[in-house]
Amino acid sequence: MVWVPLRTTRTDRRAPLRAPATRCTTMSLEWLMDWSWSLDGLRDFIATGIQSFRDCNATALAAVACLLVLFVWYCYHVGREQPRAYATVNALMQSAEANGVQNGYVYCHSPECVRCTHHDGLNQKLYHNLQEYAKRYSWSGMGRIHKGIREQGRYLNSRPSIQKPEVFFLPDLPTMPYFSRDAQKHDVELLERNFQTILCEFETLYKAFSNCSLPQGWKMNSTPSGEWFTFYLVNQGMCVPRNCRRCPRTYRLLGSLRTCIGNNVFGNACISVLSPGTVIAEHYGPTNIRIRCHLGLKTPSNCELVVGGEPQCWAEGRCLLFDDSFLHTAFHEGPPEEGPRVVFMVDLWHPNVAAAERQALDFIFAPGR
C-alpha cells in the first residue's frame, strides 16, 4: 500500500474552536482528504493480509490440535495410574554417606518416607503425637512407648551392631532374629492355607515380564548384583489400589489376618522376587515392633535368608518369621533354569506389643502424620 500525502493550504489558521463532536468529525474528514489511496497498493495490501491471516490461522489450529491431543493423552495416562498418596520407595533406605547409596539401597528424598526422612525434630514430633493420643484416650499402658520416645537417641546409638532399627526402638521387647510359627499361629496358618491362591495370582502377574522389562506396578530395588523386584499391595501403611485390584483374593486375605500391620507406616505387604544371581546387601529394618513374615511361593535351591548371622532357607507353602531390625541379607545363588525365588511378604505385630500399645503406635505413626 502506498500513501501519498497532499499538502493543502488552510484558509484560516485562527478559526474559532468548535464543539468536541464537531471538531472530531472535521478532523476525520480532513485526515481522509489529506491522504490518497493507491488502488494497486491497496489490492496488494489486502491480498497479503488475507494470506497472512490464513497462514497464521493454520499454524494456530495446528498448535491447538497438538495441545488438545497432549491433554487427552495426559488425562488418559493419569486416569490409568494408581493414586500416589503413599510413599513409593518403602524398600529404599536412607544412606548416611554423601553419595546417597549404602547397603544396596538408593537414597530416598521423599518427605513421606518414614525410613528416609530423618530430621532433628523427629523425637519431638513423636512425643507430640504421643501427648495428643494420651489426651484423646489415656496414658494407661503407654510406659514403654513414652520411655522409648524419651530415650530414643540413646537406644539407637547404644544398640549392638547386630540389631539397630533405623527409626524407632521400643524397649523391653524380647529380641531374637527368628520367631517360631507359634508366635502368630493364626495368621501363619491362614497364609499357608491360602498358598495356592497367592501363588496363582503371582503367576498371572509374572507373565507380564515376558512383554516388557518392568511391568506396571512392579518396583526394581537397587542391589549389588542381580535383580530384585517388589509388587506392593500395602506400602508403608497405605494400600496401592491398582495393585490390589490385580490381586483381589490376596488383598482380601490381608483383612482376615489378626496381627497384620495395616494402619501405620511400618506395615507392608508385597510379593518379593529375586532373580538367580541376586544378592541383597546387609541392612537393618526401621523398627523392632514388627516381625516380618515370608510365605515361600517359589524356592529354588541355594537361596538363603541370613538374619543376625543365622542362615535359614525358605520352603514353598511355609512361613518364615524374623525380626528385620536385625542385620539381615538374602541371596539367590541357584541355577538360572530353576527360576526366581518368590515370597509373599507381610509385616505382623511383634507378639509382645500389647493391644493398647498397638493402638497408640498406629496413631503416632499414622501415614502422613
Side-chain angles (χ1 to χ4, degrees):
M1 179 180 67
V2 179
W3 299 92
V4 181
L6 298 178
R7 296 185 180 276
T8 57
T9 57
R10 298 179 182 262
T11 56
D12 188 1
R13 295 183 179 273
R14 292 175 292 181
L17 295 174
R18 298 177 175 85
T22 306
R23 184 175 183 181
C24 290
T25 304
T26 304
M27 290 178 65
S28 299
L29 291 174
E30 289 179 354
W31 182 81
L32 291 173
M33 293 177 62
D34 286 347
W35 300 90
S36 65
W37 290 82
S38 169
L39 294 180
D40 292 338
L42 179 61
R43 182 182 61 190
D44 294 339
F45 172 79
I46 294 174
T48 302
I50 292 174
Q51 186 62 38
S52 298
F53 177 80
R54 286 178 177 173
D55 294 341
C56 180
N57 192 44
T59 304
L61 285 176
V64 170
C66 290
L67 290 174
L68 187 59
V69 169
L70 289 173
F71 178 75
V72 171
W73 174 85
Y74 174 79
C75 292
Y76 173 76
H77 180 72
V78 170
R80 286 176 57 87
E81 284 293 321
Q82 67 265 24
R84 303 196 62 86
Y86 59 92
T88 62
V89 286
N90 177 66
L92 304 182
M93 186 189 308
Q94 177 180 5
S95 168
E97 300 185 4
N99 61 6
V101 179
Q102 182 184 20
N103 291 336
Y105 289 87
V106 177
Y107 179 67
C108 165
H109 297 278
S110 171
E112 293 85 12
C113 183
V114 67
R115 298 180 66 174
C116 306
T117 306
H118 292 186
H119 52 83
D120 295 336
L122 178 61
N123 287 353
Q124 289 81 353
K125 180 180 178 181
L126 296 181
Y127 189 72
H128 172 78
N129 292 346
L130 175 61
Q131 285 183 314
E132 185 178 348
Y133 173 84
K135 289 178 182 178
R136 292 189 184 185
Y137 304 102
S138 171
W139 278 102
S140 177
M142 298 297 104
R144 279 197 302 191
I145 296 178
H146 182 247
K147 178 182 177 182
I149 293 175
R150 188 179 64 247
E151 303 184 34
Q152 195 63 203
R154 181 175 66 84
Y155 285 132
L156 296 182
N157 293 329
S158 63
R159 293 298 304 167
S161 60
I162 194 173
Q163 184 192 28
K164 277 186 174 294
E166 294 193 314
V167 178
F168 179 74
F169 178 80
L170 186 64
D172 305 325
L173 284 181
T175 60
M176 60 191 76
Y178 294 96
F179 286 78
S180 71
R181 295 162 46 82
D182 291 336
Q184 299 295 4
K185 184 176 181 180
H186 173 273
D187 290 348
V188 166
E189 292 179 348
L190 183 61
L191 288 168
E192 292 179 350
R193 285 198 304 269
N194 288 271
F195 160 69
Q196 287 294 339
T197 296
I198 301 172
L199 178 62
C200 288
E201 290 194 329
F202 158 72
E203 289 176 338
T204 301
L205 288 173
Y206 199 66
K207 290 177 181 177
F209 275 87
S210 61
N211 300 324
C212 59
S213 59
L214 188 64
Q216 198 168 34
W218 288 87
K219 305 295 180 186
M220 178 180 287
N221 306 286
S222 177
T223 57
S225 62
E227 295 177 328
W228 175 23
F229 305 100
T230 47
F231 187 87
Y232 278 92
L233 303 183
V234 178
N235 191 348
Q236 293 191 359
M238 297 289 291
C239 75
V240 185
R242 182 182 181 87
N243 290 358
C244 292
R245 287 192 293 268
R246 296 173 67 183
C247 298
R249 291 179 293 176
T250 303
Y251 178 64
R252 285 196 296 270
L253 178 63
L254 293 176
S256 301
L257 299 176
R258 293 178 181 174
T259 61
C260 176
I261 301 179
N263 298 317
N264 74 53
V265 295
F266 298 127
N268 305 272
C270 73
I271 296 173
S272 174
V273 178
L274 294 185
S275 62
T278 300
V279 175
I280 300 176
E282 293 182 324
H283 61 283
Y284 302 95
T287 183
N288 66 329
I289 67 171
R290 71 187 188 191
I291 57 176
R292 181 151 281 185
C293 176
H294 281 184
L295 172 64
L297 301 181
K298 290 183 177 294
T299 57
S301 60
N302 293 324
C303 293
E304 280 190 348
L305 171 69
V306 182
V307 182
E310 299 181 21
Q312 290 279 355
C313 295
W314 297 277
E316 291 184 5
R318 302 283 288 179
C319 288
L320 183 62
L321 304 179
F322 65 98
D323 184 343
D324 74 326
S325 67
F326 281 78
L327 187 67
H328 63 284
T329 181
F331 57 86
H332 179 359
E333 295 180 345
E337 58 269 18
E338 292 190 12
R341 182 240 60 178
V342 186
V343 299
F344 178 64
M345 184 203 81
V346 59
D347 289 322
L348 308 176
W349 283 103
H350 190 292
N352 293 93
V353 177
E357 292 175 320
R358 295 178 186 182
Q359 181 177 328
L361 291 168
D362 279 345
F363 183 90
I364 294 169
F365 291 101
R369 175 171 287 278

